[in-house]
Structure formats: C-alpha cells, structure tokens
Amino acid sequence: MTHAQSTRAATDAATDGTGEPHDSALTVSADGLPGWLEPVARAARTVQAQQLSRFLPPESGAGRQSAVLILFGEGERGPELLLMERSGTLRSHAGQPSFPGGSLDPEDGDHTTTGPLRAALREAEEETGLDPSGVQLFGVLPRLYIPVSGFVVTPVLGWWRTPSPVGVVDPAETARVFTAPVADLTDPANRATAVHPSGHRGPAFLVESALVWGFTAGVIDRIVHYAGWERPWDRTRQVPLDWRA
C-alpha cells in the first residue's frame, strides 16, 4: 500500500461510506486549517518515506507498530509544536524529548487504517492530559522505523483547534510537557548536528532548555524543509551526545 493509499484508507475507514464520520476525532481533514499550516498539509499529501528518513520499516513486516502525534497549535509566540520529555527511568529513549505517542493497542484497530490515528490521540491523552476532542487530524506521514527500539512509527499530524491544559500525567513515563515555538525551531541559532558516540549524525534543535535529537528531530527537520520554513543554518556546528543516549 502506498502512502497516498494508506492515508486515503485511514480517511475512508473513519467514515461510513457516505462521508459521515463514525468517530469525528478520527476524521482526517485539512479543511479550515490556518494559512501558515497549509504548507505542512500539502507536503504530507506527497512526501515519500525515503524523503523523511533512511530508516524504513523492514520488508519482512517485523517491528512494533506505533504512532506519534505531531500537534501544531498557536501560543503567545505564534505557531508552536507540542513536545514532551520522556522519563529518565524508561527502558527505551529515556530522557529524550519526543512527540507524544506509543505502541498500538489491540483496541486501536488496524495499523493500516485508523489504528495509528486512535493510538496517537490515546497516547497523547495518557501522557499529557490532552483533550482529543480539540484536535483536528489533517494528515498522516509514511511509516518510519527506529532501529534501536524496533518501532515502526506512523506520524499523525494534528491541528490544536481548541487548546486544552496539558502537563505530566504519570511521572514514571513523562518528565515534562512543553511547547516549542516554530520560530525557535527554524531559528538557525537553535540548530546543530547531533553526534552520537556510535558515529551516527543527525539534526538537533536546542529549544526550551531541551536538546531535541534522534527520530523526533529528524521528522521536525524534514517537516520544516518540505513546508518551506527552513532557513540556512550552520551544519558544521556539532553537539556531542552522552554515551548513554
């Protein structure tokens, strides 16, 4: 199934065939988005997995199906992105800033249709206290892969149409919940190349007293690029990561 087909399937599965949604929270629609967000919606309709990452899901179908919610809102400083910092005691990606998200549960449904949509909203609510009813899902990016943890990740794009209070729900899972202004994410002064002890290099963002790197930074980097928001930045500026990262 191609990206366009999977996105269409997710949209179709959320309706009864006549265009009426079974669950309005699972309807994927770009209608009514603010103008600044439209470039992201356009890019999501055409971007291919290999344009987002060199780590793609195994052809064998192996991997743990999961989803993340990439939620854009508007704050005091304009457009912003919801992020969280994972607890330092977790087995996977401890202490890393990330998008809200996690593994699909059986009740989330088929991972090729609405399963990732439901999982992204459910996990965001469980981790940040977000009210899913205030979120408009407007796109689904191609599935990507995180080799270190074996997760096959579906990034789900959302517009925080009606903001709700967010914060740490379970300190055992989440250390902090915060929003990063898009202006800071695109500021060349806040950009760098993260260098892992393994030798892997990838984009990084220094925002809100956090170093965003790894999968999350890679996806943000590609969204910023394909939305046309990218500004020239010093790619030789390096930030070394601790060996425990």
Side-chain angles (χ1 to χ4, degrees):
M1 180 179 288
T2 67
H3 169 50
Q5 289 171 329
S6 64
T7 302
R8 181 69 255 172
T11 304
D12 289 346
T15 71
D16 61 8
T18 63
E20 292 298 320
H22 289 312
D23 184 339
S24 59
L26 295 183
T27 300
V28 178
S29 172
D31 293 343
L33 293 179
W36 61 265
L37 200 47
E38 290 177 359
V40 179
R42 285 197 298 270
R45 289 193 287 269
T46 59
V47 72
Q48 301 296 308
Q50 59 269 25
Q51 294 176 292
L52 296 174
S53 174
R54 63 188 178 91
F55 298 114
L56 305 182
E59 294 184 2
S60 65
R64 192 174 179 183
Q65 297 295 330
S66 63
V68 295
L69 180 64
I70 304 176
L71 184 61
F72 291 92
E74 286 199 55
E76 294 181 357
R77 296 185 52 206
E80 60 186 15
L81 190 61
L82 180 67
L83 296 171
M84 51 174 272
E85 188 174 308
R86 295 169 61 81
S87 170
T89 60
L90 293 175
R91 288 183 298 174
S92 297
H93 311 291
Q96 279 188 244
S98 67
F99 303 117
S103 299
L104 268 68
D105 287 345
E107 58 267 28
D108 291 325
D110 191 341
H111 74 272
T112 66
T113 56
T114 58
L117 309 183
R118 187 174 285 107
L121 290 171
R122 175 182 55 75
E123 286 283 347
E125 182 177 15
E126 292 176 0
E127 292 175 332
T128 73
L130 172 80
D131 182 355
S133 68
V135 176
Q136 175 183 339
L137 302 181
F138 68 88
V140 181
L141 297 179
R143 286 188 289 273
L144 303 174
Y145 188 58
I146 303 179
V148 67
S149 56
F151 282 108
V152 176
V153 186
T154 300
V156 179
L157 298 168
W159 158 235
W160 210 351
R161 179 175 290 280
T162 306
S164 55
V166 292
V168 173
V169 175
D170 183 356
E173 291 192 3
T174 308
R176 179 166 68 116
V177 177
F178 62 99
T179 55
V182 171
D184 288 350
L185 292 168
T186 58
D187 185 342
N190 296 329
R191 304 210 56 181
T193 297
V195 182
H196 193 276
S198 66
H200 174 73
R201 296 167 180 261
F205 300 83
L206 296 93
V207 293
E208 298 299 312
S209 302
L211 174 62
V212 183
W213 61 282
F215 173 85
T216 303
V219 173
I220 293 174
D221 172 78
R222 293 296 80 195
I223 289 176
V224 166
H225 174 76
Y226 288 111
W229 296 345
E230 189 173 35
R231 297 162 59 189
W233 58 281
D234 183 4
R235 297 175 185 271
T236 66
R237 181 190 182 195
Q238 298 183 359
V239 177
L241 296 171
D242 187 273
W243 66 271
R244 292 166 294 184

